[in-house]
Amino acid sequence: MVRHLQPHIRYFIAIAEELHFRRAAERLHVAQPVLSRAIRQLEDQLGVILLQRSRRNVSLTAAGSVFLEECYLAREAMKRAEQRAIKANKGESGRLIVGYTDFAINGVLPSILATFHSHLAEVSIDLVRCDSHEQLEAIEGGRLDVGFLTGPVSGAGLRQVTVHEAPYMAVLPYHHPLADLESVPLKALSEEVFVLGNMHTWRHFVSQIKALCFEAGFIPRVVKEAPNSDSIFGLVAAQMGVTIYPDCDLNHNRRDIILRPLADTEAKLITEMVWSSSSTNPVVARFVDVVTRTRTNRVPRCRQERGQ
Amino acid sequence: MVRHLQPHIRYFIAIAEELHFRRAAERLHVAQPVLSRAIRQLEDQLGVILLQRSRRNVSLTAAGSVFLEECYLAREAMKRAEQRAIKANKGESGRLIVGYTDFAINGVLPSILATFHSHLAEVSIDLVRCDSHEQLEAIEGGRLDVGFLTGPVSGAGLRQVTVHEAPYMAVLPYHHPLADLESVPLKALSEEVFVLGNMHTWRHFVSQIKALCFEAGFIPRVVKEAPNSDSIFGLVAAQMGVTIYPDCDLNHNRRDIILRPLADTEAKLITEMVWSSSSTNPVVARFVDVVTRTRTNRVPRCRQERGQ
DNA sequence: CACCACTGATACCCTGAAGGTATCAAAACA
DNA sequence: TGTTTTGATACCTTCAGGGTATCAGTGGTG
């Protein structure tokens, strides 16, 4: 144990507990005169008599009692400081700033965080809702420790692990003719009009959708851009158009839209956990470690059927 | 300001705040190399890198941030310890064990304590209900700081101040013939039977009542001994007898008994504040000081009349 | 009452931790 | 390329803090 309090304080505590200079000196492994002097100095500095000592008896004064209690608190505070620093160094304590997208928070992130919390309850996690490209900047700039964002990701100094892959689904209004099919060929959507997320916050995702359509041989006609998932689904339900969306929990809560797998593509929306390889925060390594080791537990999901 | 934390901690705090060794050194009035070494030693002792320092930049590691926060707490704890010790020495902080009797707690004590609390809120007062003679023993034995008890008091090493004098009153059942008088001569009670407190807890008080009667030329016939004030008044109301009781607030709350001043005596029940002249607790002196300086404010009391 | 055991305080010495000076090496910048 | 500025290193110095010897009351004991 490191000794961060002045020796005077340690000595005072020992003497106050023993109420005996020689015994306290033995306990502290110092010579008795050392204590006589230390207490005198302490009392001089404070201008307060702490110990009432006669030739035969040592007792605490009222001020000494008060000081002793407070010294205990200070000593505990100092011990705690050491221990927390050591734990923080091992990544077992501290703070972690985690970024997430809508896809992540509606997908795997909650269970990941719950798992991590059960492993290392002393780490406090700050969650920040942040678009994928903003997260990447923040991670590179050191403002974010870990990001959960839409891949693919490339960047020097970034490390990543895929935490989730969600197949793309066709999202159709309830009475749309294509909803009769078990699965929807991507090309079948070429004549449809699309509702998509706007380019500002959905940059990563929308450009992937567009690439997907391009590969299938058409350019999607976007009639509406929406800022968030609810708006997109609402507009589809309102028969403003169709859209393509990854298969995540969020979809299955609505009864006014139909989801169908895409037939002729294996493309998936990839959610990556990303962190900086130059990160100095040990909690990051710890977090990544826990997440990768427990990554296997996926939440099973049942297929939605139209009509009841 | 005394410096009770190891210099290392003070240095670490300064550097963490300045994030600059030279500036921190200036602020601390030490040479810069001192800080380089102190931090290295601190880090060695903890086994934790606290400051990430390149030739051009100093920044806190994650563990360093944690340690800094905890160091602040420890520093505050230590400052607080000093200040409380100094205050305790001046009697402005600390603990006071105060004894009281039923008469005191129903008389002047509440306002005295309220006044003291408004003067010195940092003193915590432990109140102990305790009979007069037990209080005297406890004060002499150092187990009690101040007592509020029934006088007169004599004892070497005891100091005292009279905080209240209450004239004795005749306490009569509601329909008692003597209740017709404005004031009751003590002798008129010589043929009555008495309800008094028992000798165990009411020793001081009962012996004074008996002395009073003896001076008036009779020995009171005690038919009932009761352990507390409520019992005494209840027994009087039940026409078991009369009693003599000091004039204090408690009396005036009952409608089934009548209080009349005693006509032919000036005797009063004296409540003394008593403390040990050898007391080492500065709070005692402070308390006594506050009480004696503000003793003048007595609570005025109106006379009770029979029959609405 | 003389004696002894034991207490905390004092006097004095010594060591090493902590502070100082000079300087270095790397980085940033003009 | 030279200059400035940074934290680190080497080495010297000093005094706070630790040690030993001893003192001076105190209380118990034969």
Side-chain angles (χ1 to χ4, degrees), chain B residues 170-175 179 256-260 304-307:
Chain B
V171 182
L172 310 165
Y174 194 83
H175 294 293
D256 47 4
I257 53 177
I258 293 294
L259 291 142
R260 288 291 175 261
Q304 177 212 32
E305 286 302 325
R306 180 161 61 160

Side-chain angles (χ1 to χ4, degrees), chain B residues 8 11 29-31 33-34 37 41 55-56:
Chain B
H8 293 78
Y11 295 170
H29 303 109
V30 295
V34 172
R37 191 175 38 161
Q41 289 171 338
R55 296 268 173 205
R56 279 279 146 185

Side-chain angles (χ1 to χ4, degrees), chain B residues 246-265:
Chain B
D247 183 24
C248 69
D249 288 344
L250 191 63
N251 314 358
H252 297 266
N253 295 330
R254 300 192 66 122
R255 299 264 142 222
D256 47 4
I257 53 177
I258 293 294
L259 291 142
R260 288 291 175 261
L262 294 177
D264 48 2
T265 178

Side-chain angles (χ1 to χ4, degrees), chain A residues 37-218:
Chain A
R37 190 174 41 162
I39 294 301
R40 185 167 49 73
Q41 287 171 337
L42 189 55
E43 289 178 333
D44 286 350
Q45 287 174 337
L46 287 171
V48 171
I49 302 296
L50 299 171
L51 291 162
Q52 198 64 48
R53 39 209 191 276
S54 70
R55 296 271 171 202
R56 280 277 149 186
N57 245 325
V58 177
S59 61
L60 281 166
T61 63
S65 301
V66 170
F67 192 60
L68 178 62
E69 291 304 312
E70 299 293 331
C71 282
Y72 282 141
L73 296 179
R75 190 179 62 175
E76 287 312 304
M78 208 58 248
K79 276 186 190 169
R80 186 182 138 88
E82 294 173 18
Q83 286 166 353
R84 286 211 59 198
I86 291 168
K87 281 199 167 183
N89 191 50
K90 288 192 281 189
E92 291 171 1
S93 168
R95 174 164 301 242
L96 200 70
I97 306 175
V98 174
Y100 66 90
T101 60
D102 281 351
F103 294 136
I105 198 70
N106 285 306
V108 286
L109 189 54
S111 72
I112 284 177
L113 292 180
T115 306
F116 181 69
H117 183 75
S118 70
H119 277 72
L120 290 168
E122 284 187 55
V123 174
S124 70
I125 293 181
D126 281 0
L127 284 170
V128 186
R129 166 72 183 83
C130 199
D131 306 325
S132 296
H133 59 284
E134 287 171 356
Q135 283 191 48
L136 289 172
E137 283 171 24
I139 291 166
E140 283 170 338
R143 303 186 300 283
L144 205 61
D145 290 314
V146 178
F148 286 83
L149 48 86
T150 301
V153 171
S154 67
L158 291 182
R159 301 194 57 192
Q160 56 188 297
V161 164
T162 301
V163 290
H164 192 60
E165 298 178 334
Y168 285 115
M169 309 283 277
V171 183
L172 310 166
Y174 194 84
H175 294 292
H176 195 282
L178 289 173
D180 292 329
L181 302 176
E182 258 304 297
S183 66
V184 178
L186 193 49
K187 254 189 170 156
L189 297 174
S190 62
E191 295 305 312
E192 300 291 329
V193 292
F194 275 76
V195 176
L196 286 179
N198 66 47
M199 279 304 278
H200 178 61
T201 54
W202 298 73
R203 190 191 301 178
H204 261 66
F205 173 58
V206 169
S207 53
Q208 284 188 40
I209 299 298
K210 287 184 174 172
L212 206 61
C213 295
F214 193 72
E215 277 177 32
F218 68 99

